[in-house]
Amino acid sequence: MAGGDRSLEGVEPGVPEWSLSVQKTSSERQLSASPSTLSLLTNASICSKPKILLMGLSKSGKTSIRHVIFHKMSANETQFLESTPKIDKIDISSKSFLDFQLWDFPGKLDVSHLREKEAANSTPPAPGTPPTTSTLEKIFLQAKVLIFVIDPMEEKASYAIERFHNTIMEAHKINPRIKYEVFIHKSDSLNDDQKVENVREITHSVNKKLRATGLQDRVYPSFKTTSIYDHSIFEAMSMVCQQLLENVLPPFENILNAFVSSNMMEKAFIFDIHPKIFIASDSSPFDMPSYELCCDMLDLISDFGCIYQDYETSGLGDMSEMGKGDRSGSMYSVVKLNDSSLHLMQINRHLALLCIQPGLQEGQDSQQGILDYNFQQLKIGIKEVLKIANL
């Protein structure tokens, strides 16, 4: 970032140049640092929670993604956000079922250069002193997923690909288990053919660089087109977050398959309510229109929840008057469409089941009791899985 090559001369004696001040807010934990690139990270402690790293060039849309998903900012408001001047460490667990840290990196910070900068400014440890944890280790050791955001319409897209490749090389040396996701962002203005072409070109460029450095059989990045102006960014982040829950995804999918089969549903999702991320679905093919319907219903019910209860502390709230009956203190709501019905059933404070049921045939209205019973069994199954997984 700016000033990253400054000398350490002039630092006040006795005060580490890398000292950081921590500011806590209700929704995030921010690190304030001096302008030095190296100092920005040296005091970043290794946390016990899994981390998702959000990287990319300046103005690629990283901070907008974070605010739209986890801070409920509207897409139009993000145009007033300033560039990220420092690393922001956001603890996601306060309002979410998910429990991880999201590290939002400044676009001007190139972590691939940190090794040389640290070596140039380090002093040999005293005899008998244990080796200190390097800056790169503090970044990558606990990282589960690295998201790299690329704006394909920028002239610097080729430089972004080079930056991504260099970052992979550094990260792989420290943590070979990191998974890599490329968000080909700001795709809302492109047609389908342009989106496909962008994915093809960027995929080819990245894989070509990986082959040149012998990493093609060890690193397998995924590529997704995203935009904050539609549901694609929520779908992409859902796929990323599911990689943190690999131990519970198979039993969740089996439970949803049984529920869908027993109640003649078309599709079922388990959503983390606040960030609008789905953490599991049944095994039927993913259908974007169905997912968008579920997201829109979740927005609708959440908006009503803000009116009747404190959504920030009570999840969706126990708004049984909005649905059919008490449902044992959990909110339940149905929206009837022309040829189907959308069901939202709250599992716990953070999780909700959203499913699509095709148009009811004559006589099927009497099956509501069976649906209620099957949902209670689903809740029991989900809670048992979470208990075993210690989540």
Side-chain angles (χ1 to χ4, degrees):
M1 57 189 302
D5 295 325
R6 292 180 183 174
S7 170
L8 298 183
E9 296 178 358
V11 178
E12 181 181 348
V15 178
E17 195 269 342
W18 42 258
S19 60
L20 301 175
S21 62
V22 179
Q23 302 171 346
K24 291 185 179 180
T25 64
S26 59
S27 59
E28 64 184 5
R29 181 171 180 247
Q30 297 180 330
L31 299 181
S32 301
S34 65
S36 169
T37 299
L38 189 59
S39 69
L40 189 64
L41 295 168
T42 304
N43 203 37
S45 59
I46 299 178
C47 64
S48 59
K49 293 184 179 182
K51 296 185 300 190
I52 293 179
L53 309 180
L54 189 59
M55 297 183 176
L57 301 185
S58 298
K59 302 297 183 181
S60 60
K62 306 182 302 299
T63 304
S64 297
I65 291 172
R66 184 242 294 183
H67 277 83
V68 167
I69 296 177
F70 297 108
H71 302 302
K72 312 306 290 183
M73 180 180 286
S74 69
N76 291 328
E77 291 178 301
T78 60
Q79 60 184 310
F80 303 109
L81 291 173
E82 297 180 355
S83 297
T84 304
K86 57 187 178 300
I87 298 175
D88 283 348
K89 295 171 61 178
I90 303 97
D91 195 327
I92 303 301
S93 62
S94 58
K95 299 178 184 177
S96 172
F97 165 77
L98 298 165
D99 187 12
F100 66 92
Q101 280 195 344
L102 180 69
W103 286 29
D104 184 5
F105 284 74
K108 295 181 180 180
L109 178 61
D110 187 350
V111 297
S112 64
H113 294 161
L114 288 177
R115 190 182 300 276
E116 292 81 2
K117 291 178 181 290
E118 192 170 53
N121 292 290
S122 63
T123 57
T129 303
T132 58
T133 303
S134 70
T135 300
L136 289 172
E137 288 174 337
K138 291 176 181 179
I139 295 174
F140 295 121
L141 273 179
Q142 297 296 326
K144 298 294 184 181
V145 184
L146 190 156
I147 301 172
F148 200 91
V149 183
I150 296 177
D151 180 358
M153 306 306 294
E154 280 285 340
E155 295 180 358
K156 296 181 179 180
S158 59
Y159 176 63
I161 294 172
E162 181 70 23
R163 168 85 70 87
F164 176 52
H165 175 252
N166 292 338
T167 302
I168 289 176
M169 293 180 63
E170 293 295 341
H172 188 76
K173 296 174 185 176
I174 296 170
N175 186 356
R177 298 181 180 179
I178 294 180
K179 297 181 179 179
Y180 301 91
E181 299 281 345
V182 178
F183 287 3
I184 304 173
H185 200 46
K186 301 182 181 181
S187 61
D188 49 282
S189 62
L190 305 178
N191 58 42
D192 291 342
D193 291 338
Q194 289 173 318
K195 292 178 183 179
V196 171
E197 182 63 19
N198 281 332
V199 172
R200 189 194 67 79
E201 290 182 357
I202 293 176
T203 301
H204 174 75
S205 298
V206 171
N207 289 336
K208 181 179 179 180
K209 290 183 177 295
L210 291 175
R211 285 194 297 271
T213 51
L215 293 175
Q216 72 277 10
D217 295 327
R218 288 174 283 178
V219 176
Y220 303 96
S222 294
F223 300 84
K224 299 177 176 65
T225 56
T226 58
S227 171
I228 58 174
Y229 290 95
D230 55 35
H231 293 94
S232 60
I233 189 60
F234 292 95
E235 178 200 356
M237 189 60 74
S238 295
M239 299 301 182
V240 169
C241 292
Q242 287 175 21
Q243 299 181 47
L244 306 180
L245 302 169
E246 291 179 335
N247 56 332
V248 301
L249 286 182
F252 275 10
E253 182 177 306
N254 291 336
I255 292 172
L256 290 174
N257 285 338
F259 182 82
V260 166
S261 176
S262 300
N263 298 282
M264 294 178 289
M265 298 289 180
E266 286 185 359
K267 189 68 180 175
F269 300 92
I270 295 177
F271 271 84
D272 192 351
I273 297 168
H274 180 75
K276 209 164 62 177
I277 287 173
F278 78 93
I279 63 171
S281 68
D282 66 288
S283 59
S284 62
F286 181 85
D287 179 25
M288 191 62 179
S290 298
Y291 172 68
E292 291 174 348
L293 282 174
C294 292
C295 287
D296 291 341
M297 183 178 184
L298 191 59
D299 282 335
L300 174 66
I301 299 301
S302 297
D303 290 342
F304 275 100
C306 292
I307 296 174
Y308 291 101
Q309 293 218 8
D310 183 2
Y311 172 66
E312 299 296 333
T313 59
S314 304
L316 286 174
D318 298 334
M319 301 176 293
S320 56
E321 66 271 23
M322 294 179 59
K324 298 182 179 180
D326 179 38
R327 291 334 190 254
S328 301
S330 294
M331 194 275 290
Y332 174 78
S333 185
V334 179
V335 174
K336 294 189 179 294
L337 305 175
N338 291 334
D339 56 353
S340 61
S341 298
L342 286 173
H343 297 259
L344 186 151
M345 296 170 255
Q346 190 172 358
I347 297 172
N348 58 30
R349 178 186 176 192
H350 295 300
L351 298 180
L353 171 72
L354 283 95
C355 47
I356 301 175
Q357 188 175 36
L360 294 177
Q361 302 297 322
E362 186 175 350
Q364 284 186 314
D365 285 332
S366 60
Q367 303 298 313
Q368 184 63 49
I370 297 176
L371 175 61
D372 292 344
Y373 175 81
N374 288 338
F375 174 63
Q376 293 303 320
Q377 298 306 304
L378 178 142
K379 284 179 64 174
I380 292 172
I382 294 295
K383 290 178 179 179
E384 285 295 319
V385 172
L386 296 178
K387 182 179 178 180
I388 294 172
N390 197 26
L391 294 175

